[in-house]
Amino acid sequence: QVQLVESGGGLVQVGDSLRLSCAASGRTFSDYAMGWFRQAPGKEREFVAATSWSGAHTYYAGSVKGRFTISRDNAKNTGYLQMNSLKPEDTAVYYCAVRYGPWSTDVHFWGQGTQVTVSS
């Protein structure tokens, strides 16, 4: 089992920035690819960004590319999502997830989520 705890969400204004963190425990974090998903009210959960176990490879949804940056610090067992130029449509619960081995959206463990609200 891998336990994931997200933090860093909150209420911000349009154009502001936030950095989400995902603290992992239970297994060797560097064995897992890591990603972020989000779910807005009344919508399906959607993929946001992901990174390989080393951080060398990153993947982004088109809606966040150029504004969001995913990273990880395996020594700290923590992943991050830097979100810049936030828009109202970025409002959602953000979930961290990991997958053993290479990345795909068929993940193995989820965090509990952190709320991000972007006010206009």
Side-chain angles (χ1 to χ4, degrees):
Q1 288 279 351
V2 176
Q3 291 77 45
L4 303 170
V5 179
E6 301 97 332
S7 61
L11 172 64
V12 296
Q13 302 292 315
V14 169
D16 283 352
S17 298
L18 272 179
R19 188 176 81 156
L20 305 183
S21 298
C22 174
S25 61
R27 294 277 179 91
T28 303
F29 183 54
S30 58
D31 286 343
Y32 293 80
M34 185 199 76
W36 290 90
F37 294 77
R38 66 187 182 187
Q39 188 167 20
K43 294 190 175 181
E44 302 258 329
R45 189 175 297 187
E46 64 174 0
F47 168 76
V48 175
T51 180
S52 59
W53 69 271
S54 66
H57 303 283
T58 56
Y59 316 91
Y60 295 95
S63 58
V64 306
K65 198 167 187 177
R67 299 189 297 123
F68 291 12
T69 302
I70 189 170
S71 62
R72 64 190 295 162
D73 184 340
N74 288 337
K76 296 182 178 180
N77 294 329
T78 302
Y80 304 97
L81 184 68
Q82 177 68 44
M83 306 186 295
N84 298 330
S85 303
L86 284 161
K87 305 176 181 180
E89 51 264 43
D90 295 319
T91 295
V93 177
Y94 283 72
Y95 298 90
C96 173
V98 295
R99 185 181 189 278
Y100 186 79
W103 174 256
S104 84
T105 54
D106 182 22
V107 300
H108 296 139
F109 300 103
W110 292 93
Q112 84 289 347
T114 186
Q115 176 71 47
V116 173
T117 303
V118 184
S119 173
S120 56

